[in-house]
Every structure is written in C-alpha cells, then in structure tokens.
C-alpha cells in the first residue's frame, strides 16, 4: 500500500447543491451516525440537516458547519479544520475506535441525505490529500479526497476503514481539484473528509482520551 501523498493542490469545497458519486439507503448507517436537523429538510431547502457521530457516552463528533446549527451544545471547535465536538447522550457502550487511513485504502462513508432524510452510505478509495480554502478550513488543515459518493446532508458523517475503525469526518465534496503550480485539474468530482490525524491531538485534549487501534498508517 502506498504511503501518504500530498497534492500541491487546492479544493473549492461545496457544502450545498447537488452531489457527487453514488449513495444508497443503508440500515448499517443507523449504527454509526445520527441525524442533526433544524427545521424541516425538504427539496425546497426549508431547514438544515447534517450528520453527527456518536463518540463516547457524553459526546458526538461532527463537522463544525453542522455544529453551528445543531440543537446540541458545542463543547469545542477545531482551530483550523471543519470539525467540532458536541454534547450528546449516546449508548453507554459507545466508544469509537480510530485509525489513520492511507492513500489507496478502501473506505465507507455513512450519513443522512438532506433530500430524503434517510440514512445512506457509499463506498470508495482514498485518492489524495489536499488543502481546502474556505471559511471552515484553514492552513495547515489537510483533507482527504476520495471517489466515494456524497450527498448534501452527509456533512459531519463518519468515514470508516475496512476494519471498522473510524478514519475521519465528512465535510463535503468538490467538483474539481486543481494543481496550484500548473493550474491543471488533477481530480474531478471527489468527496472530502478530514482525516483522523488532523484532529487527533485536539480530540485527546478535549475529551481526555482517543481510542485507537494499531498499526497506525502515516
């Protein structure tokens, strides 16, 4: 398996509108994520819907842009990545296991569709690491681009490795990623998530523990 690769590229992050790739209804998603909704999600866009991830019995993890509209109280926002911890009562047995995911490794995404308000999932592979330039993501935050499908509403959802460890948090998608130096498009229609390695230390600081499995990929 290849080691970590950082494209000299920049993704323009899309948080609304259409989608990329294929997603399908998933009963398994109910075991990995919860719905966060303010108002009534409809095709007319009346309301805001996102996804949250049960993390411990007291906390859930989500995208920062989802946390701003969530009814749950926010414990902490990441200083430069689109990730946040919210207070949420979960199953007492909840304890997510994390592992960094490598380029070329298969992943699965879980979340909720804004249009249908149903749990969905998608499958794909990690393609490349890329910077994101928007209000929620700043240097030195780096996202992982994948070919897994994403639909509006999945932001804040979970990305899982094949061994059922969590690899990161879904933050959106981009229709193209351009190389900063050459200006050429290097990837098209990709989903984007913040990998565990980007928020590991912050998570440890704010919840006092970070369950992790080994081995750990670079």
């Amino acid at each position: 398996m290849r080691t970590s690769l950082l494209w000299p590229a920049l993704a323009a992050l899309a948080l609304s509108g259409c989608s990329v790739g294929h997603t399908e209804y998933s009963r398994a998603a109910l075991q990995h994520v919860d719905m966060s909704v303010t108002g009534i999600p409809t095709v007319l866009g009346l309301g805001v819907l996102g996804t949250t991830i049960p993390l411990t019995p007291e906390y859930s993890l989500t995208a920062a842009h989802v946390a701003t509209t969530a009814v749950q109280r926010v414990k902490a926002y990441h200083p430069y990545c689109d990730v946040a911890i919210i207070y949420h009562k979960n199953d007492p047995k909840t304890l997510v296991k994390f592992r960094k995911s490598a380029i070329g490794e298969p992943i699965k995404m879980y979340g909720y569709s804004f249009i249908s308000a149903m749990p969905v999932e998608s499958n794909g592979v990690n393609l490349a690491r890329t910077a994101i330039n928007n209000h929620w993501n700043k240097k030195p935050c780096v996202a992982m681009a994948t070919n897994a499908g994403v639909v509006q509403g999945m932001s804040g959802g979970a990305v899982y490795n094949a061994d059922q460890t969590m690899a990161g948090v879904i933050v959106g998608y981009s229709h193209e990623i351009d190389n900063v130096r050459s200006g050429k498009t290097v990837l098209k229609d990709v989903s984007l998530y913040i990998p565990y390695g980007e928020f590991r230390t912050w998570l440890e600081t704010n919840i006092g523990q970070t369950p992790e499995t080994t081995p750990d990929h670079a």
Side-chain angles (χ1 to χ4, degrees):
M1 183 167 295
R2 288 189 293 165
T3 56
S4 175
L5 172 65
L6 177 62
W7 281 106
L10 194 64
L13 186 65
L15 300 175
S16 61
C18 57
S19 62
V20 298
H22 173 73
T23 59
E24 57 186 45
Y25 170 75
S26 169
R27 291 181 62 87
L30 297 171
Q31 303 173 14
H32 298 290
V33 293
D34 295 319
M35 183 191 299
S36 174
V37 59
T38 302
I40 304 174
T42 69
V43 293
L44 299 178
L46 303 177
V48 177
L49 184 149
T51 304
T52 64
I53 308 163
L55 182 65
T56 71
E58 296 84 21
Y59 306 117
S60 287
L61 195 62
T62 189
H65 72 269
V66 172
T68 59
T69 59
V71 296
Q72 295 88 357
R73 187 161 54 100
V74 177
K75 176 176 175 58
Y77 287 102
H78 195 279
Y80 48 82
C81 288
D82 189 2
V83 181
I85 301 168
I86 59 174
Y87 291 93
H88 191 273
K89 292 296 182 183
N90 299 308
D91 188 302
K93 297 179 181 179
T94 299
L95 196 62
V96 174
K97 298 291 185 181
F98 289 92
R99 178 174 65 75
K100 295 180 186 178
S101 194
I103 302 297
E105 190 167 354
I107 52 91
K108 181 169 286 190
M109 293 185 167
Y110 296 103
Y112 280 85
S113 166
F114 174 82
I115 295 175
S116 67
M118 298 292 283
V120 293
E121 69 175 58
S122 64
N123 295 280
V125 174
N126 292 325
L127 300 176
R129 299 181 186 275
T130 179
I132 306 179
N133 184 20
N134 73 347
H135 175 73
W136 299 102
N137 298 278
K138 310 172 183 65
K139 287 185 178 181
C141 190
V142 174
M144 182 73 81
T146 89
N147 57 7
V150 164
V151 66
Q152 187 182 358
M154 288 180 72
S155 289
V159 182
Y160 270 79
N161 296 304
D163 61 3
Q164 292 302 301
T165 56
M166 202 175 105
V169 179
I170 301 168
V171 293
Y173 51 86
S174 179
H175 289 300
E176 63 179 36
I177 297 179
D178 298 330
N179 185 289
V180 175
R181 298 193 184 102
S182 68
K184 294 181 179 180
T185 299
V186 292
L187 291 172
K188 289 187 176 182
D189 294 332
V190 295
S191 53
L192 298 165
Y193 74 89
I194 304 301
Y196 164 60
E198 293 294 308
F199 58 85
R200 173 181 174 177
T201 301
W202 167 83
L203 195 61
E204 291 174 341
T205 300
N206 282 280
I207 69 170
Q209 60 178 336
T210 305
E212 185 175 3
T213 62
T214 56
D216 201 19
H217 292 294

